[in-house]
Amino acid sequence: MIRTAHRIRQVRLTLAGLVAGALLVTGCTMPAFAPRTEDSSAAAPGNAPAWRACPEVADELVGRGAPGMRYECARIAVPRNWGTGTGATTGPGSGETFEIALLRARSSKQRDRIGSLVINPGGPGGSGVDTAVYLSFGPSFGGLPTAVTDRFDIVGFDPRGVSRSSPVKCISDADLDASFGYDPDPRSQQSFDGYQALNRRIGQGCGDRYGDQLPLYGTEQAARDMDAVRAAVGDDKLTYLGYSYGTLLGATYAQLYPQRVRALVLDGAVDPQQQLIAGSESQARGFERAFGNFDRWCAANAGRCPIAPDARGAVTSAIDKAKVSPVRGAGGREATSGWVFYAVISSLYTESGWEELARAIDRLDDGDPTDVFKLADSYAGRGEDGRYTNLFDANLAVNCADETEKPSVDQIRQLQSQWRQKYPLFGPALAVGMFGCVEWPGGRDPYPTGRADGAPPIVVVGTTGDPATPYEQTARLAAMLGVGRVLTWEGEGHTAYPQTSCITEAVDAYLISLTVPREGLRCPAR
């Protein structure tokens, strides 16, 4: 597989899962100051941005640009605090700005231009700039259909705190390595306490660095930034494609600016009314269900699955062995139980990852952890040099700014045990993962959870085998908005568009002609 297609797959795999924030348990040892990355080239709030050619972005990400595509970049300044909430107009960040980085890809074949299609890949923490580049490569590489790129500019933006947009960074690479390698089910009291202590350390470290600015990374502030993006690209109304967490961002926009919505596609729906405990259990259930589908696939496809007929047993055994005797790889790196667990998580985001997981577990049993590290690193955003992007820094900052529920330590310990019985492989990790936001400092800035009265129909896409945003959340999001229309893909993996002709045709017709999919439309897996 060429690099372009591989990287597009990684967009779906690493940038869209809220499970990232739920499982992050790192420490933080960064300097105690709030970084400022603003640039004088950023357009002031309300001013038109200065676009410049930027083919180097595609060159850096993929090695080349897509044929017939032109890439332009700009930066806009937005208020750090949009003046929402009690005392916000005089609170943290008043009068200061964040920079938002934009990239637009425009096809040389574009005709009868409708406007811009604004993209968010989810996370939170995913780079829309990167994603716009990947999706510009067209359907042959898993990108957007030419029917869409012929009518729209594809515009990606990095939300506040993410990648090129005034990035949050308060977690060292060493701490990220330690967190991903940690036992996903710390049973002993000592190990459990150590898990909590890691979360307390990261909270203290990030609080020391960013202080009262932390709530400013929440979803409502970012949704207001999106309206500045809409204005910057010159559209009267927003046309938007949001994946996973991007559905929450889009739903929040629709509530704040219902009259400025042209068309929203929310793929991989997040239920905004679901709080921390319910959301964590929902993901445990979703991953357990997806893993069961993988297990059954293995049993029915032994020729492609070297750990058949008992894939569940093989994976469970690999994690258990790694707890006491991890396999060493190149440079002495150890494939601990945490790394094996994240290889499993990674593989479930796409059905094509199932065969990779089976091969990785088989090779691990033979003493070679290379493929386990490959899968886990692609999820974690870890480069071959051991360095990380700021995906997980931003993920934690956004998730915890949004979250108001704080279970007690005793509750988490009880849920760890209870969910181990209900969701053996994923339940304990999702339970103890709640420590990330429980130990997070600073205030909270919860997003709205109501109707989008006055907005046109919004298409909400769900995948029946989705592990990270389980299918049950699709109808809940559509119902909450009041104008949602559910479109179902009976497939596997995280998110659906544009993976099959049925889904693609329905979404394209909506984006281009505003033709809403018929009620109850279900698309087959293939």
Side-chain angles (χ1 to χ4, degrees), residues 446-472:
Y447 45 77
T449 56
R451 295 172 60 86
D453 292 329
I458 293 170
V459 173
V460 184
V461 187
T463 301
T464 56
D466 193 322
T469 52
Y471 178 69
E472 294 80 5

Side-chain angles (χ1 to χ4, degrees), residues 4-94:
T4 305
H6 174 73
R7 288 301 300 161
I8 289 172
R9 176 177 177 270
Q10 300 316 310
V11 171
R12 298 189 185 282
L13 191 151
T14 65
L15 301 183
L18 286 172
V19 71
L23 299 180
L24 185 62
V25 289
T26 54
C28 180
T29 57
M30 301 297 287
F33 64 95
R36 299 178 63 94
T37 62
E38 286 72 21
D39 185 315
S40 59
S41 64
N47 291 349
W51 295 92
R52 64 169 183 84
C54 56
E56 70 277 3
V57 178
D59 290 343
E60 179 183 344
L61 293 172
V62 183
R64 62 183 175 88
M69 282 288 175
R70 183 170 76 253
Y71 301 98
E72 295 176 302
C73 294
R75 308 177 78 83
I76 59 173
V78 297
R80 290 195 179 199
N81 192 329
W82 280 96
T84 62
T86 303
T89 54
T90 58
S94 297

Side-chain angles (χ1 to χ4, degrees), residues 490-503:
E490 296 173 334
E492 299 292 339
H494 187 43
T495 74
Y497 176 73
Q499 298 202 51
T500 68
S501 60
C502 176
I503 289 290

